[in-house]
Amino acid sequence: MISVLSYSILSPLGNTAEENFKAVLQGKSSIRRWHGRWGIPTDFMASLFSDEQTVSVRQDGFSRVEAFAWASIKDAVAKGKITLSPKRTVLILSTTKGNIELLGTEYSRNRCLPISSAKLISEKLWLETEPIVVDNACISGLSALILAQRLIESNFYDQAIVCGVECQSKFIISGFQSLKAMSPEPCRPFDIERNGLNLGEAAATMILGKEGDYGWKLTKGAVRNDAFHLSAPAKDGIGATMALKKVTKDIPIEDIAFINAHGTATLFNDQMESVAIERTGLSSVPVNGYKGCYGHTMGASGILETIVSMEALDHDVILPTKGFAELGVSGQVKVVGDKVLDVNDMSSDTKSFVKMLSGFGGCNAAIMMTKDKHLNEDDAQSKREISLRQTHHVHLLPSSVELDGKKIDTESTGKQLLTDLYKKEVATYPRFYKMDMLSRLGFIATELLLKAEGKERFVDNSNRAVIFIGRSGSIVADRAYYNSIKDPNDYYPSPERFVYTLPNISTGEIAIRNHYHCETAYYSIAKKDDSLINQIIHAAFLDSDTHSVIGGWLECEEENEFEADLYINEIIK
């Protein structure tokens, strides 16, 4: 069983988890209108750290993102009186854009990469293990907690420090504005008058470990993909439904106190979540959301909102959904309005809750958190002995391609090589030309693997995951998008370009193409490390529904500098 050893929150609503819980309990919100911030030509609503908070966490040599993350981690370690084992503790950083506000400044391009921040913080903690960044769009926080759980259960580590952090910037705000996803007023999750999201800043940390017979435990977690669209959820909520069914299987409904939803207040997200909750048979379970208090804190949201939910049940309450007044979704859901619910009024043991998220790239995640309850092995995350084999292998470089040990003749190099391989091996999927370089690389490498495998394709598959690990993430797409917004006199943020600044879109493209509904994820590490890559892929098989993984190293630093070193990994039965 994986226990929560300690936690902390830093947000515009408070500097501790207790302060944040009380603020949400009282219906407070830190969302306000901002004018002229970061040179953005239009006003926007957001929850941002105050100047005083920024000054209070400042660290020499640290960016804003790193300073807030460090302050949160330091507080969690101190609060839990935790002694970190340098060789057996791993830092897992959850963020969508990290230091993206440094892009275009005097800092080197490496400083903009999220893994650079993770490495800096890990070294300050004196850890000897390599940190991991989870960059899985809006579900990053839950993906990070699930990864931590699996790595500990696999005995790769004894403890995991999971920190979610996000600081907003012109880059991010303009991107969501280009998608027309932002509300000009405070957001209203699940409400009939909802018209978009607000963005937010936060840093939140949970430290997980094997210790502790009682207290909060992460008992189950699942990630599933819609395989439908890169930036819109499936109307039938297939991915979210699958994730919810996985984590609530064999759990009596009366034992679930509430579902803390993603609840972004966008038209399609809230509708999809309501459908997924109803399809899972959870219509009678109270549903709430905290975006009306914090805005959407992106990489921090999964961890922040899980901690606030734990605090709520510790105080025997279910928190309200600020901004909600009248139900505006078709799915039968029981949204908690402005009235705080007393858990003691419920008929049975309700020291459990579900946290769910969804995000770009078609990804959906859910976890089950449980406290002070005896848990059977059947209640917990499925465990199994895992033996793997690699059935096919592709190694693609700017000037060479090797499939299952045999070289493929090529005449072109660099970016043109990928285009020529597409024309030769695929030719019938014009979506390829819309993709950024990272997605093109993953797409072509995967096509070669699947051609070598020779099995039936393009049918729904719920047992094959896609796990990519790299270093530079979406830096090529980041630069392209940055160039579209850097000149105030030539300001044209593109929604299509912005979406591809999320590295996990590369996995979403594979899921859509091949109808894969199992787990998809993108992780960053400091360098190509086969041992660490194998740990991450091995851990994915702790989900008993995962029978095979297309995964490995996917790195694209420049348009003509890239490497795909991917395998098909299968369970040996």
Side-chain angles (χ1 to χ4, degrees):
M1 237 21 83
I2 304 305
S3 298
V4 178
L5 307 181
S6 186
Y7 55 79
S8 72
I9 296 175
L10 254 174
S11 85
L13 277 181
N15 297 324
T16 67
E18 182 71 15
E19 287 179 8
N20 276 269
F21 160 70
K22 288 180 178 178
V24 178
L25 180 68
Q26 295 165 10
K28 293 182 179 180
S29 174
S30 48
I31 297 168
R32 53 163 282 201
R33 188 177 305 280
W34 296 86
H35 175 74
R37 185 77 165 184
W38 300 309
I40 297 172
T42 55
D43 291 358
F44 61 92
M45 302 290 291
S47 169
L48 306 181
F49 284 119
S50 68
D51 291 341
E52 291 77 13
Q53 285 179 303
T54 300
V55 170
S56 70
V57 302
R58 185 173 294 162
Q59 289 278 327
D60 289 342
F62 274 31
S63 67
R64 278 206 310 148
V65 162
E66 293 151 3
F68 278 108
W70 171 249
S72 174
I73 292 169
K74 187 170 60 172
D75 182 56
V77 172
K79 176 186 173 184
K81 299 179 180 179
I82 294 171
T83 301
L84 301 177
S85 169
K87 296 181 183 294
R88 297 288 296 173
T89 304
V90 62
L91 171 66
I92 301 177
L93 191 68
S94 163
T95 184
T96 54
K97 294 314 300 175
N99 277 336
I100 197 63
E101 65 184 357
L102 299 182
L103 192 63
T105 68
E106 70 274 14
Y107 289 90
S108 70
R109 63 185 179 185
N110 288 342
R111 197 73 172 80
C112 298
L113 303 181
I115 190 60
S116 296
S117 299
K119 190 74 174 174
L120 186 67
I121 295 168
S122 183
E123 290 172 353
K124 192 171 179 66
L125 288 165
W126 298 100
L127 300 182
E128 297 177 23
T129 55
E130 288 294 323
I132 302 169
V133 172
V134 180
D135 205 337
N136 219 15
C138 299
I139 74 164
S140 294
L142 293 191
S143 290
L145 291 173
I146 292 168
L147 176 65
Q149 176 196 36
R150 293 171 177 173
L151 291 174
I152 295 171
E153 286 187 342
S154 299
N155 203 35
F156 293 129
Y157 307 95
D158 295 330
Q159 298 171 328
I161 300 169
V162 185
C163 177
V165 62
E166 211 73 62
C167 287
Q168 298 299 328
S169 63
K170 180 180 180 181
F171 189 103
I172 302 171
I173 299 290
S174 65
F176 277 93
Q177 286 179 331
S178 75
L179 291 163
K180 302 188 185 307
M182 294 182 67
S183 170
E185 303 296 334
C187 65
R188 304 182 66 171
F190 295 99
D191 191 78
I192 195 170
E193 298 293 339
R194 72 188 185 280
N195 62 351
L197 57 78
N198 310 133
L199 291 171
E201 299 183 327
T205 300
M206 289 174 62
I207 302 178
L208 304 181
K210 294 180 180 177
E211 302 93 336
D213 294 329
Y214 296 96
W216 282 105
K217 292 178 173 58
L218 198 173
T219 56
K220 291 185 179 183
V223 176
R224 297 292 184 268
N225 200 288
D226 289 331
F228 171 71
H229 194 275
L230 292 181
S231 59
K235 293 180 181 179
D236 61 0
I238 182 171
T241 301
M242 292 173 68
L244 283 173
K245 285 184 176 180
K246 181 69 175 179
V247 301
T248 60
K249 183 181 179 181
D250 301 325
I251 305 294
I253 291 179
E254 60 270 18
D255 282 0
I256 304 172
F258 62 91
I259 300 167
N260 181 246
H262 194 34
T264 59
T266 55
L267 184 64
F268 296 116
N269 174 85
D270 293 9
Q271 168 65 16
M272 178 278 291
E273 284 194 289
S274 76
V275 170
I277 290 168
E278 181 180 9
R279 288 186 64 191
T280 311
L282 301 173
S283 292
S284 63
V285 179
V287 174
N288 68 358
Y290 306 139
K291 299 295 192 296
C293 299
Y294 294 103
H296 189 352
T297 57
M298 299 166 63
S301 64
I303 301 166
L304 168 102
E305 294 168 7
T306 298
I307 294 171
V308 172
S309 296
M310 291 190 300
E311 282 279 332
L313 276 189
D314 281 343
H315 290 81
D316 295 320
V317 297
I318 301 174
L319 294 168
T321 304
K322 188 172 182 61
F324 172 81
E326 181 180 353
L327 192 66
V329 293
S330 68
Q332 297 300 305
V333 290
K334 187 178 175 182
V335 179
V336 182
D338 58 2
K339 183 180 179 182
V340 177
L341 302 184
D342 190 335
V343 174
N344 293 319
D345 292 338
M346 298 182 179
S347 59
S348 68
D349 179 10
T350 52
K351 286 293 187 182
S352 296
F353 69 89
V354 172
K355 171 63 193 160
M356 62 185 295
L357 293 175
S358 62
F360 288 173
C363 53
N364 302 269
I367 61 171
M368 175 73 75
M369 299 296 299
T370 302
K371 184 179 183 183
D372 292 341
K373 180 182 176 183
H374 175 70
L375 296 169
N376 297 317
E377 287 299 311
D378 291 340
D379 295 327
Q381 183 79 23
S382 177
K383 295 181 180 180
R384 55 178 173 168
E385 294 297 322
I386 299 170
S387 296
L388 303 179
R389 64 180 178 185
Q390 295 176 336
T391 59
H392 297 282
H393 172 223
V394 62
H395 194 199
L396 203 164
L397 294 167
S399 58
S400 66
V401 186
E402 192 174 281
L403 180 63
D404 290 339
K406 298 180 180 179
K407 289 188 176 182
I408 296 177
D409 292 335
T410 59
E411 295 181 359
S412 53
T413 60
K415 181 180 179 180
Q416 187 60 43
L417 171 63
L418 299 184
T419 301
D420 289 349
L421 284 170
Y422 164 76
K423 292 176 179 178
K424 178 182 178 182
E425 304 291 341
V426 186
T428 58
Y429 197 68
R431 182 188 186 93
F432 170 82
Y433 294 107
K434 287 189 172 184
M435 298 178 192
D436 71 313
M437 281 298 297
L438 186 70
S439 297
R440 289 187 183 190
L441 179 63
F443 179 85
I444 291 299
T446 301
E447 287 292 312
L448 293 173
L449 280 175
L450 295 177
K451 185 175 181 179
E453 186 180 42
K455 294 183 179 179
E456 182 183 11
R457 295 181 62 187
F458 316 125
V459 294
D460 285 349
N461 186 325
S462 303
N463 305 118
R464 171 162 281 175
V466 182
I467 310 290
F468 291 157
I469 300 123
R471 176 177 175 273
S472 302
S474 56
I475 190 63
V476 175
D478 291 346
R479 294 191 201 106
Y481 181 76
Y482 170 78
N483 287 332
S484 74
I485 63 171
K486 67 178 181 180
D487 185 350
N489 298 315
D490 191 22
Y491 181 82
Y492 56 100
S494 161
E496 185 174 283
R497 279 183 172 170
F498 178 69
V499 167
Y500 282 106
T501 66
L502 300 169
N504 76 300
I505 293 297
S506 61
T507 67
E509 290 283 16
I510 306 304
I512 292 171
R513 164 71 165 165
N514 296 284
H515 303 194
Y516 292 158
H517 293 289
C518 198
E519 182 168 344
T520 56
Y522 183 91
Y523 304 106
S524 293
I525 58 179
K527 61 183 179 180
K528 187 179 180 184
D529 180 333
D530 289 339
S531 176
L532 184 53
I533 290 170
N534 288 335
Q535 283 183 13
I536 293 169
I537 290 176
H538 182 279
F541 282 94
L542 262 67
D543 184 324
S544 59
D545 291 333
T546 299
H547 298 166
S548 67
V549 172
I550 294 176
W553 183 252
L554 191 75
E555 166 66 7
C556 184
E557 188 174 359
E558 300 279 357
E559 282 195 344
N560 294 303
E561 295 179 24
F562 51 76
E563 181 182 9
D565 193 4
L566 304 181
Y567 294 84
I568 295 178
N569 304 269
E570 293 183 348
I571 288 276
I572 299 176
K573 297 180 181 180

